[in-house]
Amino acid sequence: MSQVTFQNLNGQGVTMAAVINFPAGFDESRKYPSIVVSHPGGGVKEQTAGLYARKLAESGGFITIAYDASYQGESTGLPRQLENPYVRTEDISAVIDYLTTLPYVDADRIGAMGICAGAGYSANAAINDRRIKALGTVSAVNIGQMFRNGWENTVKDADAVGYIDFGSQARTADAGKAELATLPLAPMREEDAPNAELREAWEYYHTPRCEHPNAPGFMTARSLTQIITYDAYNKAEAFLTQPILAVAGSVAGSKWMSDDLLARAASQDKQMHVVEGANHMSLYDVPKFVDEAVSKLAPFFQVALK
């Protein structure tokens, strides 16, 4: 494992922080397939993204890299906790830029995977960046859909206009202030959770289960003006042609967003693996569920990146 920093070439002067994982028997003179692993909204590389990255390197023979998004974690950039989905998508390509400079990475065998919103951003990056040869997702969330349509797809698009109003007003309120308005990405308190599944999101981010000082669990409220109209799967029916494996829990309220990804993708090699008994959050770190997901993702990437 190696902790690295590198310049993001997307024009905002951001320095990215990441962890590279190496397979057993790593030989620097060889070239390896690699996988970029993207964290959920509000997360950092030390949590579920880092867990999947380590396990894929160990079991699949890959170079893997888990990184902190621009404006978050140990990556630089102001304002802190900006969750601009277009920036998050471009971050993945910025990480690939860096990978192509490493002599032991095969630039023709790069895959992308992510968890939760990181999975949606990975899908969007695969639509935009043909260097991504395969896509894996775990508990995929299209963050625009989630905010527009609700956790279980029960809200109409037009009924989410209030979020755009709120984000617009936050931008006005932020002008000239040192501290910007924020909005939770997961329940900040146990009593704020609307259901048992999202209570687990509070537990994951705000208890010893997996809390981390660099993952405060909120975003800038101004981010809503980008998020609400964002579609991580935009033009997937034309340009998402790479092999895809989506992993989702059988009782996950978010599973519909994995279903939508596969329905819309142009790929002729797309599959779903449903983990029985798992919900959205349990695929983040519950050992038996993570191990099952990795047991499907590793061979998928081995074939797709051969």
Side-chain angles (χ1 to χ4, degrees):
M1 186 178 76
S2 175
Q3 295 187 354
V4 299
T5 59
F6 53 91
Q7 197 68 21
N8 183 319
L9 300 180
N10 289 327
Q12 301 301 314
V14 169
T15 298
M16 307 288 289
V19 173
I20 300 178
N21 300 276
F22 302 98
F26 172 69
D27 179 351
E28 194 166 342
S29 68
R30 292 179 51 196
K31 285 188 177 291
Y32 292 85
S34 63
I35 303 170
V36 179
V37 184
S38 298
H39 62 71
V44 288
K45 62 185 181 303
E46 290 83 4
Q47 297 172 321
T48 182
L51 176 62
Y52 274 91
R54 288 194 303 273
K55 286 183 171 290
L56 284 169
E58 291 167 0
S59 62
F62 307 104
I63 299 289
T64 63
I65 184 167
Y67 65 96
D68 286 332
S70 296
Y71 310 101
Q72 300 175 27
E74 293 181 312
S75 294
T76 68
L78 295 173
R80 302 307 294 168
Q81 300 311 125
L82 183 73
E83 185 75 18
N84 183 320
Y86 302 97
V87 171
R88 293 261 346 232
T89 294
E90 281 295 315
D91 279 348
I92 297 166
S93 290
V95 175
I96 295 172
D97 293 344
Y98 170 70
L99 286 178
T100 64
T101 71
L102 301 178
Y104 46 79
V105 167
D106 187 338
D108 293 322
R109 293 191 292 163
I110 296 176
M113 73 149 287
I115 305 95
C116 189
Y121 298 136
S122 297
N124 201 196
I127 292 168
N128 299 338
D129 192 334
R130 302 302 295 180
R131 296 175 299 178
I132 297 173
K133 304 303 183 185
L135 171 68
T137 68
V138 173
S139 294
V141 161
N142 179 342
I143 195 168
Q145 285 183 321
M146 184 189 75
F147 272 90
R148 285 191 303 272
N149 306 127
W151 187 248
E152 296 178 337
N153 197 22
T154 56
V155 181
K156 295 179 181 178
D157 280 1
D159 292 336
V161 69
Y163 280 117
I164 302 178
D165 287 336
F166 184 85
S168 300
Q169 292 161 8
R171 293 179 71 123
T172 297
D174 288 346
K177 290 185 178 179
E179 291 191 15
L180 307 187
T182 62
L183 191 71
L185 272 164
M188 299 294 289
R189 303 178 303 170
E190 184 176 11
E191 56 266 34
D192 294 334
N195 56 47
E197 188 172 25
L198 292 177
R199 180 206 169 276
E200 198 169 343
W202 162 80
E203 179 185 78
Y204 181 85
Y205 285 111
H206 300 296
T207 75
R209 173 175 169 179
C210 209
E211 64 186 349
H212 191 278
N214 290 342
F218 57 79
M219 67 176 185
T220 57
R222 65 190 294 110
S223 301
L224 286 172
T225 60
Q226 288 90 34
I227 287 173
I228 298 304
T229 57
Y230 174 80
D231 178 14
Y233 310 154
N234 182 49
K235 296 299 179 181
E237 66 280 1
F239 302 122
L240 187 49
T241 59
Q242 299 95 318
I244 305 168
L245 172 61
V247 178
S250 64
V251 293
S254 59
K255 181 177 176 292
W256 63 276
M257 286 178 276
S258 295
D259 294 331
D260 188 48
L261 170 64
L262 294 187
R264 293 168 64 180
S267 174
Q268 297 302 301
D269 179 3
K270 51 186 178 180
Q271 53 188 304
M272 169 88 76
H273 178 73
V274 176
V275 180
E276 290 300 324
N279 65 19
H280 180 92
M281 299 300 305
S282 57
L283 276 166
Y284 281 32
D285 66 337
V286 175
K288 68 176 181 178
F289 296 140
V290 172
D291 288 346
E292 182 175 339
V294 171
S295 77
K296 301 299 179 180
L297 287 161
F300 163 75
F301 279 117
Q302 286 168 340
V303 171
L305 301 178
K306 66 182 179 181

